[in-house]
Amino acid sequence: MENSTIITKLNEVLSPVAAKIGNQRHLKAISSGMMFGLPFIVIGSFFLIFANPPINIDRYNPETANFFMKFMAGWKDFAVANYDLITAPYNLTMGIIGLISVFGIAFSLSSEYKINPSMNGMVASVIFLMVCTPVSEGSINLNYLGTNGLFVAIIIGLLVVEVNRFFEVKNIKLKLPDTVPPMVATFINTLVPLLTNIILFYGINLIFLVTTKKIFPETVMQVLTPATNIAGSLGGFLLIVTLGNILWLFGINGSSIIFPIVFTLGMAQTGLNAEQMANGETMTHLMNLQMFRISVLGGAGGTLGLVILMMRSKVSEYRTIGKLSLIPGICSINEPVIFGLPIVFNPILAIPFLITPIVSLLLTYFAQSIGLIGVGLIVDPSFTPFFAQAYLSSMDWRNVVFCLVLILVSAVIYYPFFKVMENNKTKLVDEDL
């Protein structure tokens, strides 16, 4: 009864806000547009997992290894030798998710306006490529076609449509004879808006390049990167992780922005712990790589508990996305949930998305400090199942159990907010019927 009351109160507070934001056409376009990339994200995630088998080859001894460890070592050798071939599907799915999203956003917004979605999507894609793929000495830089270019994709996807709509609303068109076929007339009247968009956005990009020596996406990423001098403390680390998760809520890959700070810090601290252990000393560096892994346990926002709730949801759409997201989530890849549910621009799920990693990190820090779990002393492989990472980081099975507890904590935190969203979805379906 008390649980039902909490959910009802949350529903009364959050649902009107969510409805208002959800019906805003630009935010709807962003959410719907990013759904275009969901199949690519899911498939790309599997190839990334396959390219990073869960084994620390530095600790592998072929003379004492069993059949399973020899198999894992062989898989690791194969993956290292063929990494570029294995990750090609990832690079051409997740690696161009910015390009896919800019088309989807422009397509969705122009559909709202009922103005030639396909053409607007193509124009936005072309402009995005012009801005995000600088050519130098015959080589094309692809760094900003993926998640690093998502924020720019949102800007271009929305504004290109608005520019084209301006020409449509103001009826700025060439007067052509009635004898001209409609397809030819459409082609001709697309030229001026297209040229305007190129001059506007490519011009802005050139201004940034001349004044800052950086292209527009690079400047945006530089502005978003947090300072490194606060990362060493628990409070600073929590602040950086939270800032990264706030960026995720706006469709920006916050993890990629904070990664250089927290990962470098974590590796250094982990190395110091390894030295202390080798010298027979007590390991004292708690802000190690294990803390970074916990901050993305199940992906940004600690969403593995949410995925479990989705898999048991009474809404078939949520169940489907939950099942698709489980295996990537186990390997801390949760773009299917962030963009597919979505969590992006979702005021209801934004709250647990920010709270869950904070709670998990505080519990982990405390558990390490009192010896409840092993302190991280090994640089474990990325994109491996969380239970493998938990063990490899400290060679302590208690850490695996602890991560399972954190997933349950995540589910508890997400539960009331997810139920609000689920109830709203059920009401909408009932009304449609």
Side-chain angles (χ1 to χ4, degrees), residues 303-323:
T303 56
L304 203 48
L306 174 62
V307 168
I308 294 171
L309 295 175
M310 291 167 63
M311 292 174 64
R312 299 176 59 84
S313 175
K314 54 189 176 184
V315 178
S316 60
E317 177 185 337
Y318 294 163
R319 287 199 305 273
T320 301
I321 296 174
K323 291 174 183 177

Side-chain angles (χ1 to χ4, degrees), residues 28-163:
K28 283 175 66 178
I30 294 170
S31 178
S32 300
M34 288 183 174
M35 281 292 289
F36 273 66
L38 182 58
F40 302 93
I41 291 171
V42 172
I43 296 301
S45 299
F46 285 113
F47 281 93
L48 189 61
I49 293 168
F50 182 71
N52 293 274
I55 181 173
N56 189 337
I57 205 69
D58 294 333
R59 299 180 64 85
Y60 171 70
N61 186 344
E63 296 180 0
T64 59
N66 55 30
F67 173 78
F68 176 73
M69 292 305 295
K70 289 180 179 179
F71 168 77
M72 296 298 293
W75 177 7
K76 181 69 174 181
D77 290 340
F78 174 81
V80 171
N82 300 277
Y83 192 82
D84 289 341
L85 293 175
I86 297 171
T87 55
Y90 171 81
N91 292 330
L92 295 173
T93 51
M94 273 296 295
I96 62 168
I97 197 64
L99 179 60
I100 295 170
S101 296
V102 74
F103 178 89
I105 291 167
F107 185 97
S108 299
L109 182 58
S110 52
S111 295
E112 288 279 326
Y113 286 134
K114 297 181 171 53
I115 50 167
N116 201 339
S118 299
M119 181 56 70
N120 277 274
M122 286 302 299
V123 171
S125 299
V126 170
I127 301 299
F128 180 78
L129 287 171
M130 287 183 183
V131 172
C132 292
T133 54
V135 179
S136 177
E137 298 180 356
S139 299
I140 300 177
N141 188 331
L142 306 179
N143 290 341
Y144 297 100
L145 291 186
T147 52
N148 285 340
L150 266 179
F151 186 66
V152 178
I154 293 171
I155 295 172
I156 291 176
L158 297 178
L159 293 185
V160 162
V161 175
E162 292 297 341
V163 170

Side-chain angles (χ1 to χ4, degrees), residues 257-327:
I257 294 172
I258 68 172
F259 178 83
I261 303 169
V262 293
F263 190 77
T264 302
L265 170 70
M267 285 187 64
Q269 298 282 308
T270 299
L272 292 173
N273 283 335
E275 289 180 13
Q276 288 179 324
M277 183 181 183
N279 295 329
E281 302 171 359
T282 301
M283 293 178 287
T284 57
H285 299 88
L286 303 185
M287 302 308 301
N288 50 68
L289 189 61
Q290 181 170 251
M291 290 289 281
F292 171 68
R293 302 300 189 203
I294 293 299
S295 73
V296 290
L297 178 61
T303 56
L304 203 48
L306 174 62
V307 168
I308 294 171
L309 295 175
M310 291 167 63
M311 292 174 64
R312 299 176 59 84
S313 175
K314 54 189 176 184
V315 178
S316 60
E317 177 185 337
Y318 294 163
R319 287 199 305 273
T320 301
I321 296 174
K323 291 174 183 177
L324 286 172
S325 304
L326 180 61
I327 294 178

Side-chain angles (χ1 to χ4, degrees), residues 363-384:
L363 290 174
T364 304
Y365 188 88
F366 177 73
Q368 284 186 123
S369 64
I370 65 172
L372 185 63
I373 61 174
V375 175
L377 72 152
I378 298 171
V379 178
D380 55 278
S382 299
F383 301 112
T384 57

